Amino acid sequence: MPRKLAAGNWKMNGTGESLAEIDRLAAALPKAEAEVAVLICPPATLLERMSARLTHSAIATGGQDCHFDESGAHTGDVSAAMLLDAGATHVILGHSERRNDHGETNSDVRSKARTAIAAGLHVVICVGETEAERDAANTLDIIQGQLAGSVPDLVTGENLVIAYEPVWAIGTGKVPSMAQIGEVHDFIRASLERRFGAGVGRSVPLLYGGSVKPANAQEIFAVHNVDGALVGGASLKAADFLPIVEALAAA
Ligand code: 13P
């Protein structure tokens, strides 16, 4: 069984005063939960401060992107080594907002994942279909293409997390049916097992993301092969994120 993971993606939200939310979260989760890992991915500007605040906590931190080069002339970009240096253990790669806003391709995501893993980070690779792709019954083909194109060969059960985030469910309040989530998660698991073998395939945590809230978390975590969530809006406030962590621990 993969370890359960409750991950928060703060996206482009948060300044120094938002760290009070992290203090609240850390106070409510004083020690490592045996079954649930907790990860927060703040904007790069907050990463070092947040990591320092969480030194004595079991909550991990991560970046939201990194460059595929180790260093160099890439104005405005952040390298995997810089994320590590700022205290991160994880990095989200291939989020649909990066794919859309910055034209990231599967091949870009794969290169970034290679660099991040080589630097010692765990990668959270995002996949997910648009509404038009779902309407055209192309969801599983799109997911398969993203997995094949974005996930590098060198992953293990230890350094890879996959997040299934249907683009139409992100920030919209719309959530797929539990059967639709289950179908995609079972498909991702089978695809990973085929490519990497049963041992690795089975131990990769599969997260669902897209309008996860305290009110729907329990139902989502009951779905087969859902090992946690990648939460956007509801991860910004400890009062919203904590019940999601608790629902995952109880699942
Ligand atoms: P919301 O939870 O705000 O829908 O965002 C999901 C997401 O994109 C997490 O990466």
Side-chain angles (χ1 to χ4, degrees), residues 5-9 41 92 95 124 126 163 165 207-210 212 228-232:
L5 174 61
N9 174 9
C41 301
I92 298 170
H95 192 284
V124 181
C126 302
E165 299 206 311
L207 311 185
Y208 167 76
V212 177
L230 182 55
V231 184

Side-chain angles (χ1 to χ4, degrees), residues 87-101:
T89 52
H90 290 66
V91 61
I92 298 170
L93 293 173
H95 192 284
S96 61
E97 288 151 15
R98 302 271 337 155
R99 292 177 188 263
N100 289 334
D101 296 355

Side-chain angles (χ1 to χ4, degrees), residues 182-245:
E183 180 190 32
V184 175
H185 278 242
D186 288 351
F187 179 83
I188 294 173
R189 179 75 70 212
S191 168
L192 293 175
E193 287 183 8
R194 264 198 317 276
R195 180 166 164 199
F196 297 107
V200 170
R202 253 184 239 138
S203 53
V204 174
L206 306 186
L207 311 185
Y208 167 76
S211 297
V212 177
K213 306 278 179 246
N216 60 20
Q218 189 186 3
E219 187 185 16
I220 292 169
F221 295 146
V223 176
H224 185 240
N225 275 324
V226 173
D227 306 306
L230 182 55
V231 184
S235 71
L236 296 172
K237 295 269 176 270
D240 294 327
F241 194 57
L242 272 169
I244 295 173
V245 176

Side-chain angles (χ1 to χ4, degrees), residues 141-178:
D141 285 347
I142 292 293
I143 302 293
Q144 180 52 36
Q146 290 172 334
L147 288 174
S150 304
V151 179
D153 290 330
L154 73 168
V155 298
T156 67
E158 293 300 310
N159 58 24
L160 175 67
V161 177
I162 299 287
Y164 167 54
E165 299 206 311
V167 178
W168 52 276
I170 294 174
T172 58
K174 290 194 223 166
V175 176
S177 70
M178 296 308 116

